[in-house]
Amino acid sequence: MRLQLSDEDAAFQQQMRDFFTTEIPADLRERWASGGEVSADDIRESQRLLNAAGLAVPHWPVEWGGKDWTQLQRHLYLQEMQAASVPPPLAFNASMVGPVIATFGSQEQKERFLPATANLDIWWCQGFSEPNAGSDLASLRTEAVLDGDEWVVNGQKTWTTLGQHADWIFALVRTEPDAPKKQMGISFLLIDMKTPGITVRPIQLIDGGHEVNEVFFDNVRVPADQLVGERGKGWTIAKFLLGNERVGVAPVGTIKRALASAKGYAAAARSGEGTLLQEPLVAARFAELETQLAALELTVLRVAANSRGEKPDPASSILKLRGSQLQQDVFEFTIDIAGPASLEWQQPDDTDLQSWAAVATPTYLNFRKASIYGGSNEVQRSIIASGILGLKG
C-alpha cells in the first residue's frame, strides 16, 4: 500500500489547505470550531464562498458545478475543510437532494433547482423519518393522493434537522397504499415549505438546543411536476440518497482537530506538580485515541482507493460505524478533561467558564446522534455482516 501522496495529490492538498485557511474568514471558522448552536448565516456564507470558488458540490456532475476529482482528492478536500474548521456545504443540499435531482430529475427540475441548491439560495431539509418509521423507513405512512395536476399530502415527519431554516423539503410519501410490499408505492416529492398546510414544530434536545423538528402536512397541495423520478419508485431514490449520505461520514479531519484541542486543554490544566497531560492514564488515553484515529484514516484511504465511479465501496459502512464511535469517544474524553466544569453546561456567552468547557457536555450529548443518523450503527453492522463478511442471519 502506498502511504505517501503523489506530487500531484500533495499539490492538490496544499491548494485546498491554502484556500480554506485564507479565503474563508477566520472569525467564521473560529465560531464553527467553538461549537454551540449552529448559525444558519455562517452556513450560508461559507457555502456561497465555496460555490463561488467552484468547491461547494465537487461530487455533482461537471455540468452542474461538479469536479472530475478522484475519490482520494475528494477525501483530501473534506479533510482539509474539516481541519480548517470551515462549515461544510449543507448536507441536505450538497450530498442528498442535489445528486438525486441531477440523477433522477427532469431537465426542468435540474435547471430550476440545482444552481440554487449549490449556492444555498434554497435551504433544503429532509422529510424521511416519521414516528414508527425511522430505521424501518419503509413503514412510512405520510400519503400523497393525486388530485388533478396536484398531489395532496397528509401526514407527519419527525427529526427534521434544521427544518426551521428550510425553504423546501424533499419528502418520501406513499402514493400507492395497496402496493404488495411496503418498499413499493413510495414516491419522492419536492415541497415548498411556504405551502399552506405545513406546520413546523421544534423539538428541544437533551443538549438544550433546537436542531430538529416535527413537520406536519395537512392537505398540502403540491404541483405534480415536483415529483422526482417515476411515481412509486421513491424507495430506489431513497437508497441512492442514503448511499451518498454515508459517503464521507468518517469525519477524520474534525476528529483530528477535536483531539488536538483536547490535548491542548489537558496540557494547560494543572495537576499536582505538572499538567493533566502528564498524568500516565491521560497520556495513555491520548495514545489509544490517536492510534485508533490513524487506523481509521488508513481505512478511509483504502475505501477511497477501492471506490469506482459514483458507487461507494461497501466498506464505507465501516467508516460510518467507526467514525461515529471515535468522534463520540473524543468528545467524551473532553468532558473528562473538563472535570467538574463540564457539569455546568451553558452556551459560552452565558457563563464565566472557558468556552470549550462550557460546551463540552452539550457537544458530547449532541453527537450521540451520530450513531443514529445516516443509517444507525446497528444497520451498518448488519450491512458489514451480510455485505462484506458474507454472514447470514
Side-chain angles (χ1 to χ4, degrees):
M1 181 177 184
R2 185 186 180 113
L3 297 178
Q4 187 174 10
L5 294 177
S6 67
D7 291 343
E8 180 183 1
D9 288 327
F12 176 85
Q13 183 182 40
Q14 188 62 49
Q15 178 190 351
M16 293 296 104
R17 185 172 301 168
D18 290 344
F19 176 83
F20 293 135
T21 55
T22 60
E23 300 301 321
I24 307 297
D27 60 333
L28 189 159
R29 292 186 287 116
E30 288 167 3
R31 287 195 295 274
W32 187 258
S34 66
E37 195 83 13
V38 171
S39 165
D41 288 341
D42 282 350
I43 293 174
R44 288 192 185 92
E45 180 182 357
S46 179
Q47 181 151 338
R48 288 169 183 169
L49 288 169
L50 293 172
N51 194 46
L55 297 176
V57 290
H59 52 297
W60 286 16
V62 172
E63 67 176 308
W64 296 110
K67 300 284 190 181
D68 191 20
W69 285 348
T70 65
Q71 291 288 342
L72 178 58
Q73 287 175 319
R74 292 184 188 183
H75 165 73
L76 295 173
Y77 156 83
L78 286 172
Q79 178 171 284
E80 293 303 324
M81 181 188 298
Q82 293 167 358
S85 301
V86 174
L90 187 67
F92 310 109
N93 287 40
S95 301
M96 299 184 187
V97 76
V100 162
I101 294 174
T103 303
F104 299 96
S106 65
Q107 185 64 25
E108 188 275 336
Q109 288 171 339
K110 293 175 185 177
E111 293 174 0
R112 178 183 180 186
F113 291 112
L114 288 179
T117 298
N119 202 49
L120 202 43
D121 296 329
I122 294 176
W123 184 304
W124 291 91
C125 64
Q126 183 182 32
F128 276 23
S129 294
E130 299 181 8
N132 302 315
S135 295
D136 182 20
L137 185 58
S139 294
L140 64 89
R141 294 186 295 179
T142 295
E143 65 172 11
V145 177
L146 193 59
D147 180 18
D149 58 357
E150 293 179 322
W151 294 98
V152 181
V153 181
N154 282 283
Q156 177 191 353
K157 299 294 179 180
T158 193
W159 305 122
T160 307
T161 304
L162 302 180
Q164 70 269 36
H165 305 304
D167 304 299
W168 284 69
I169 184 171
F170 52 91
L172 291 177
V173 294
R174 191 166 295 283
T175 50
E176 274 74 34
D178 298 326
K181 295 178 62 176
K182 63 182 183 180
Q183 288 83 2
M184 302 170 67
I186 294 173
S187 297
F188 192 100
L189 274 185
L190 309 179
I191 306 174
D192 188 333
M193 292 289 280
K194 295 188 295 295
T195 309
I198 295 180
T199 302
V200 179
R201 182 184 298 169
I203 299 174
Q204 187 170 23
L205 299 180
I206 193 172
D207 66 354
H210 169 202
E211 186 174 295
V212 296
N213 304 269
E214 296 175 290
V215 180
F216 299 87
F217 301 88
D218 182 12
N219 290 318
V220 175
R221 302 190 76 86
V222 181
D225 63 1
Q226 289 170 202
L227 176 81
V228 178
E230 296 181 45
R231 174 175 174 170
K233 301 295 183 183
W235 190 248
T236 299
I237 298 176
K239 289 192 294 183
F240 172 87
L241 183 151
L242 293 172
N244 284 323
E245 183 186 10
R246 290 165 191 160
V247 173
V249 289
V252 171
T254 301
I255 300 172
K256 275 186 179 178
R257 177 167 47 79
L259 191 55
S261 296
K263 183 175 279 189
Y265 306 147
R270 301 300 306 173
S271 178
E273 298 297 321
T275 70
L276 195 58
L277 185 58
Q278 293 171 313
E279 294 283 345
L281 291 178
V282 173
R285 184 65 176 138
F286 273 115
E288 180 183 3
L289 290 170
E290 288 171 345
T291 301
Q292 293 176 357
L293 181 57
L296 176 63
E297 184 169 19
L298 286 174
T299 306
V300 169
L301 292 170
R302 188 177 65 179
V303 171
N306 290 335
S307 294
R308 296 290 181 270
E310 297 303 315
K311 187 174 182 180
D313 187 284
S316 59
S317 288
I318 296 173
L319 308 185
K320 167 65 170 68
L321 179 63
R322 285 300 298 141
S324 58
Q325 290 174 330
L326 194 51
Q327 190 175 37
Q328 290 168 343
D329 289 345
V330 171
F331 288 138
E332 183 175 15
F333 189 35
T334 303
I335 287 180
D336 293 338
I337 294 169
S342 68
L343 297 177
E344 182 187 340
W345 92 68
Q346 301 282 347
Q347 289 296 310
D349 294 339
D350 300 328
T351 178
D352 293 331
L353 291 176
Q354 296 183 66
S355 60
W356 71 269
V359 299
T361 296
T363 301
Y364 164 77
L365 292 172
N366 186 283
F367 276 88
R368 302 309 298 170
K369 67 188 179 187
S371 47
I372 299 174
Y373 64 55
S376 70
N377 282 6
E378 286 71 22
V379 170
Q380 303 308 317
R381 290 187 179 93
S382 295
I383 294 173
I384 293 167
S386 60
I388 300 175
L389 301 177
L391 302 176
K392 295 182 179 179

